[in-house]
Amino acid sequence: MADGARSDHPAVQEQLNRLSLLSPGRDVLGLERISIVMERLGNPHLKLPPVFHVAGTNGKGSTCAFLRAAIEAEGLKAHVYSSPHLVRFNERIRLAGSLIEDEYLAELLARVLDCNEDINPSFFEATTAAAMLAFAETPADACILEVGLGGRLDATNIVPQPVATGIAALGIDHKEFLLSPEEGTPTDPMVRIAWEKAGIAKAGSPLLTQKYRTDMADAISGHAAITGAQHLPRGDVWDAAIYEDQLHYRDDAGKLAVPLPALPGAHQADNAALAIAMLRHQDIVQISESAFRAAMGWAKWPARLQKLSHGPLRDILPEEAELWLDGGHNVNAGEALAAHFSGYADQSIHLIIGMLANKDPAAIIAPLAPKIASTTVVPIAGHTTHSADDFGQATAAVSSVPDVAAALKNVTTRGPETVLVVGSLYLAGTVLLANQQSPD
């Protein structure tokens, strides 16, 4: 079933069954179908609260989490649209602070699908339409949209006038969609990725971006200029740095010092800084300095360098062991993991990995290689994945088992040090469910 979309609620599952027939065959990027869908639904995308739109290869979800945390710390309410979900489909649509209720979700999906059967929208387009309907019909102070894939042709890009747009870290991913030959597009892969993400730029809206390679930054600036967006790159009108255990941010309006993010990983400071910049370069949703400070501890983003707490899986390991979970699967994710575990002893991490067949295991294995004591390969139900044979000599002591629980039981015989489960958000979802830590 598409994206592992399952529900315990019969009415929701009935609609998810219909959604599953739309994907993957109709997952073709473009705004033509979503435009028709929106029109048939009464154009809900034109009736949203102030929109913050975020793209990026890595970090866009965390940036959205910091945006939400700051807005809620101010005492305001925010809608959030994100993907994919980890355990429950409802995670994709957060209404004014809470996950969408099953009955309303089933109703929305039915409304979208019933009036668009003839054009057969994609899984993501139908889901985006349901979210837009929910956001238009439920009062809130802000709306946060995470791009699903790319930017320029992503269904979320139907929104005409966000109050701010942002681009997080960039890297190579989804090559089959974002790097397909197209006349008039950049030929260098990284420049093409940057150009595609810059497609969320809108006339009159500020576009906040991180620091990138010069040719990538130029592609973004060029796209913004053509669009009429105000491009505000990091290091120019705004910047941030870690100093004396605080995140120091500055822009033309002044300086701000906040605690370092509670989310693990040094890269989260960059994501938090981007969220601060997006909020401070618009004047519709007002956020105080105290709310920014509180947001650093409030922000949550499951399965991204998440240290698991007690539960059925975690308790397989001894009390003193650490069990980490990360859904990363590309080079940027591998580098972030390596940075986080840089202070750990060599050969002290037992890796449990499950990766989709269209992803490169070396992206994760190579940066972590000195730290890996053993590697256990697990399958991901419902997906074609790499087998242990695909890892070759890339890592130490490779074996395979049917699931994560079996892998953890094997690890206990090798010394209770640190265990990292990584390789796919689909795998991460199964781990959270099995450990009874579903996102709420």
Side-chain angles (χ1 to χ4, degrees):
M1 188 173 292
D3 282 347
R6 291 178 172 80
S7 175
D8 293 331
H9 193 280
V12 174
Q13 188 60 57
E14 179 182 354
Q15 301 307 319
L16 294 180
N17 289 341
R18 296 174 68 187
L19 269 182
S20 70
L21 300 177
L22 303 176
S23 183
R26 294 292 291 171
D27 279 347
V28 180
L29 294 179
L31 300 181
E32 295 81 7
R33 288 191 306 275
I34 191 65
S35 298
I36 297 171
V37 172
M38 289 291 105
E39 184 174 358
R40 291 181 178 182
L41 294 171
N43 292 314
H45 64 298
L46 303 181
K47 306 168 187 175
L48 304 181
V51 171
F52 296 86
H53 197 191
V54 185
T57 307
N58 290 80
K60 61 183 185 291
S62 295
T63 301
C64 290
F66 285 113
L67 286 169
R68 175 194 163 202
I71 291 167
E72 292 183 346
E74 190 61 39
L76 305 175
K77 293 184 177 181
H79 299 322
V80 184
Y81 180 54
S82 60
S83 61
H85 61 277
L86 294 170
V87 178
R88 298 177 65 214
F89 184 87
N90 307 55
E91 297 165 32
R92 294 171 178 252
I93 304 173
R94 184 175 293 274
L95 291 180
S98 301
L99 298 186
I100 189 169
E101 296 290 341
D102 285 328
E103 290 78 8
Y104 190 30
L105 174 59
E107 174 199 330
L108 291 170
L109 290 173
R111 286 161 62 186
V112 171
L113 296 173
D114 287 349
C115 69
N116 290 287
E117 288 183 341
D118 58 320
I119 66 168
N120 193 25
S122 73
F123 181 100
F124 188 75
E125 288 166 343
T127 303
T128 301
M132 298 290 184
L133 270 177
F135 296 159
E137 294 175 355
T138 307
D141 301 292
C143 182
I144 302 165
L145 302 180
E146 179 190 357
V147 167
L149 197 157
R152 178 175 64 103
L153 300 177
D154 186 74
T156 61
N157 208 28
I158 192 69
V159 174
Q161 197 65 49
V163 296
T165 58
I167 303 177
L170 296 178
I172 299 294
D173 206 354
H174 302 293
K175 293 185 288 186
E176 66 274 26
F177 290 102
L178 300 183
L179 298 182
S180 58
E182 185 177 337
E183 187 176 354
T185 62
T187 56
D188 179 272
M190 288 300 297
V191 176
R192 171 68 181 276
I193 292 289
W195 184 84
E196 290 286 352
K197 308 292 185 183
I200 66 170
K202 299 292 188 301
S205 297
L207 171 64
L208 291 300
T209 59
Q210 298 282 13
K211 294 180 180 179
Y212 313 113
R213 213 171 67 191
T214 301
D215 52 356
M216 296 165 63
D218 289 344
I220 294 173
S221 295
H223 205 311
I226 292 172
T227 305
Q230 182 186 15
H231 183 208
L232 303 173
R234 182 172 179 175
D236 189 358
V237 298
W238 72 276
D239 208 346
I242 297 174
Y243 176 67
E244 293 187 346
D245 294 325
Q246 284 192 310
L247 176 61
H248 292 264
Y249 172 94
R250 61 93 180 158
D251 57 24
D252 291 345
K255 297 180 180 179
L256 177 68
V258 298
L260 292 179
L263 285 175
H267 59 288
Q268 294 296 359
D270 292 330
N271 299 325
L274 179 60
I276 293 172
M278 291 178 67
L279 287 163
R280 282 173 60 108
H281 285 88
Q282 55 81 45
D283 53 14
I284 296 178
V285 181
Q286 298 294 321
I287 305 297
S288 63
E289 291 190 13
S290 60
F292 281 123
R293 287 192 287 269
M296 299 302 104
W298 284 23
K300 295 189 298 182
W301 197 231
R304 282 76 172 182
L305 264 176
Q306 180 179 1
K307 190 176 183 180
L308 296 186
S309 56
H310 286 289
L313 283 184
R314 168 61 187 83
D315 292 344
I316 293 173
L317 299 175
E319 182 71 28
E320 63 271 25
E322 295 181 0
L323 178 57
W324 292 86
L325 176 67
D326 192 274
H329 52 262
N330 57 28
V331 172
N332 296 67
E335 292 172 348
L337 288 168
H340 177 71
F341 291 107
S342 61
Y344 285 58
D346 286 353
Q347 296 188 328
S348 66
I349 296 175
H350 298 289
L351 194 71
I352 300 173
I353 187 166
M355 293 193 76
L356 301 184
N358 63 348
K359 305 299 181 182
D360 181 11
I364 299 296
I365 296 296
L368 285 171
K371 307 298 180 183
I372 298 174
S374 68
T375 301
T376 306
V377 180
V378 295
I380 304 172
H383 299 274
T384 304
T385 56
H386 285 284
S387 68
D389 293 339
D390 296 329
F391 288 81
Q393 302 301 313
T395 183
V398 181
S399 61
S400 62
V401 295
D403 54 43
V404 172
L408 290 172
K409 291 172 182 175
N410 284 351
V411 165
T412 61
T413 67
R414 299 172 181 168
E417 298 176 67
T418 301
V419 180
L420 171 62
V421 183
V422 72
S424 170
L425 287 171
Y426 296 118
L427 176 64
T430 66
V431 170
L432 289 174
L433 179 62
N435 203 50
Q436 299 176 359
Q437 282 187 250
S438 298
D440 53 20

